[in-house]
Amino acid sequence: MTETSTETTVWTTDQVMALAPDASAQRAARGMAGDRAWLESGLSATDELPPTIWGLCQGSGSTPYQTAVDLTEPAFKCTCPSRKFPCKHSLALLLRWSAGSVTDATAPGWVQEWQSSRTSRRASAAAPPAEGAGPAGGGSTGGGRALPGEKAQARRADRISAGLDELDRWLADQARAGLASVAKSGYAHWDTMAARLVDAQAAGAAGILRRTSAVTGSPERLLGELARLHLLVGGYRRLADLPDDLAASVRMRVGLPIATETVLAGPALRDRWQIHGVRDEIEDQLTVRRAWLRGASTLRPLLVLSFAVAGQSLPVDLLPGTELDADVCLYPGGQPARALIAKRHAPPARMHTVAGATGIEPNLRAHAAALAEDPWLDYWPMTLDAVCPTRDAGTWHLVDPSGAALPLDPAAGDPWRLLAITAGRPTTVTGEWSAGGLRPLGAWSEGRLVRL
């Protein structure tokens, strides 16, 4: 193997800590980042080996734990029995690297074997199907008969139509009863209808309905959410008459799935994608992670979604404050476009500027344009230039030099961390805009994006 330069942008402590699954893992990692627990460590990169930090950490047993981190994704390996991901040893190794305590060294055999096995798995996953391969149980359908998949799609469309028809009747009942009566209904009132939509395979509509149950205390927002659901039902009924992009948005919001393979087969868009913020939320017993990206050249905002059930870990490959030279493939419909990372051309690098930062009014105009294309839009990324947090009559806002102001989402709590970072000075803030207000996700300070 030929040694290559191991020059890789070193992550900050904040970026490392953002990978931790919980606060206890952060504390444990800080305690293990000293020299005492590590028998050896190194940073290696060759023509065959991507930039990888590795180390042997002495645990409670006689055999040290083998710990390695591939810095390009990142990906993790550790022989410890921890169920947390990444574990404290991986985090501690990253902290040592961040502090400059990990130097260049030749990777031992176990690191090379791990990376070789990962390369083999990637190659197998990317391999095209054998020539002539077709659907399971292949053979010609002949005679113009519908394929089994087409029959299944037709049955699903019928179920969705029936479920949305029932939703439309339910919405009419709520309108007749009046908003005051609807607001007094318990959770079961909403959950029963949402469960019927799930049974009808309209899980997207069910999610909108469940989220609507959380705003019953605001008649204005409640009416708006019920109207959006009614609009979604009408859109699905007129699907064939809608423009392609709007029809794709309706399918997505209703909950029609699109295979990952189908998305990756589409055209790729390359840019240096900056990660402006990441937010985790619990929805229907799933942890949903929204990672907001923006192209450094195209300035296009993108959304990367990941999901995990209880006990599972979410991917940790998109670090706020870094940028990724990569190809992305886009899902049809929806604003902003949902994306999949198709190919990475280099390891993540630290952001040196924040792409697309503008005033409040341009951000609101961009949101309005997106809302016109996708009326069911819930969240929109904003990159706000030269804003200051202020408090007026108990409500927090971000104010820009023109005097325009955006309210902060009260559910996010008081922005004390943002105040501490900015010290009252104007700065660039990245965040997520919704009907509840703006939730700050990052702030530019001393040449880096600090996660909030």
Side-chain angles (χ1 to χ4, degrees), residues 232-245:
L232 185 62
V233 173
Y236 190 79
R237 287 171 177 167
R238 299 181 53 226
L239 209 52
D241 302 325
L242 299 179
D244 290 344
D245 288 345

Side-chain angles (χ1 to χ4, degrees), residues 171 179 208 212 215 218-232 375-376 378 435:
L171 291 171
L179 291 183
I208 296 174
T212 301
V215 299
S218 170
E220 183 178 350
R221 286 189 62 186
L222 176 59
L223 181 60
E225 294 300 313
L226 294 175
R228 286 204 312 160
L229 281 165
H230 180 68
L231 183 65
L232 185 62
W376 305 279
D378 285 315

Side-chain angles (χ1 to χ4, degrees), residues 162-257:
L164 292 180
D165 286 344
E166 184 177 359
L167 172 62
D168 206 27
R169 293 190 293 271
W170 186 89
L171 291 171
D173 290 342
Q174 311 316 302
R176 280 191 291 269
L179 291 183
S181 175
V182 174
K184 295 176 183 177
S185 303
Y187 178 76
H189 175 75
W190 301 85
D191 191 55
T192 301
M193 185 64 239
R196 291 174 184 166
L197 289 171
V198 172
D199 291 342
Q201 297 185 293
I208 296 174
L209 184 63
R210 286 197 172 105
R211 290 192 292 274
T212 301
S213 68
V215 299
T216 54
S218 170
E220 183 178 350
R221 286 189 62 186
L222 176 59
L223 181 60
E225 294 300 313
L226 294 175
R228 286 204 312 160
L229 281 165
H230 180 68
L231 183 65
L232 185 62
V233 173
Y236 190 79
R237 287 171 177 167
R238 299 181 53 226
L239 209 52
D241 302 325
L242 299 179
D244 290 344
D245 288 345
L246 185 55
S249 294
V250 170
R251 292 189 189 96
M252 183 189 70
R253 299 302 182 184
V254 166
L256 287 167

Side-chain angles (χ1 to χ4, degrees), residues 2-8 43-47 49-52 104 347:
T2 304
E3 293 289 337
T4 62
S5 171
T6 53
E7 228 175 90
T8 302
L43 168 63
S44 306
T46 67
D47 292 338
L49 187 73
T52 304
D104 292 358

Side-chain angles (χ1 to χ4, degrees), residues 342-430:
K343 182 179 180 181
R344 301 164 188 263
H345 297 283
R350 180 173 166 179
M351 286 168 47
H352 295 290
T353 59
V354 183
T358 58
I360 288 175
E361 288 299 332
N363 272 276
L364 287 174
R365 285 196 297 270
H367 174 255
L371 200 60
E373 295 184 24
D374 180 7
W376 305 279
L377 171 67
D378 285 315
Y379 304 102
W380 180 255
M382 288 192 170
T383 307
L384 302 159
D385 186 38
V387 290
C388 288
T390 62
R391 193 173 190 175
D392 180 32
T395 301
W396 287 98
H397 294 78
L398 290 184
V399 180
D400 70 7
S402 73
L406 278 182
L408 299 187
D409 187 351
D414 292 325
W416 300 125
R417 181 168 166 78
L418 176 59
L419 281 167
I421 291 169
T422 62
R425 297 184 297 270
T427 191
T428 298
V429 173
T430 63

Side-chain angles (χ1 to χ4, degrees), residues 266-436:
L269 178 63
R270 182 174 179 178
D271 203 338
R272 289 180 296 109
W273 299 102
Q274 297 187 348
I275 295 89
H276 281 191
V278 172
R279 183 182 172 199
D280 294 348
E281 248 187 349
I282 304 297
E283 291 184 8
D284 303 334
Q285 300 180 340
L286 277 177
T287 301
V288 181
R289 172 165 292 171
R290 293 189 292 275
W292 297 106
L293 280 58
R294 190 177 294 270
S297 300
T298 62
L299 303 183
R300 180 168 187 167
L302 296 180
L303 170 64
V304 176
L305 286 175
S306 49
F307 307 88
V309 298
Q312 285 186 341
S313 298
L314 285 160
V316 290
D317 55 340
L318 297 175
L319 294 170
T322 63
E323 61 182 26
L324 187 64
D325 181 4
D327 295 337
V328 300
C329 293
L330 307 181
Y331 284 79
Q335 290 289 330
R338 182 185 169 191
L340 288 175
I341 307 295
K343 182 179 180 181
R344 301 164 188 263
H345 297 283
R350 180 173 166 179
M351 286 168 47
H352 295 290
T353 59
V354 183
T358 58
I360 288 175
E361 288 299 332
N363 272 276
L364 287 174
R365 285 196 297 270
H367 174 255
L371 200 60
E373 295 184 24
D374 180 7
W376 305 279
L377 171 67
D378 285 315
Y379 304 102
W380 180 255
M382 288 192 170
T383 307
L384 302 159
D385 186 38
V387 290
C388 288
T390 62
R391 193 173 190 175
D392 180 32
T395 301
W396 287 98
H397 294 78
L398 290 184
V399 180
D400 70 7
S402 73
L406 278 182
L408 299 187
D409 187 351
D414 292 325
W416 300 125
R417 181 168 166 78
L418 176 59
L419 281 167
I421 291 169
T422 62
R425 297 184 297 270
T427 191
T428 298
V429 173
T430 63
E432 185 181 75
W433 175 252
S434 69

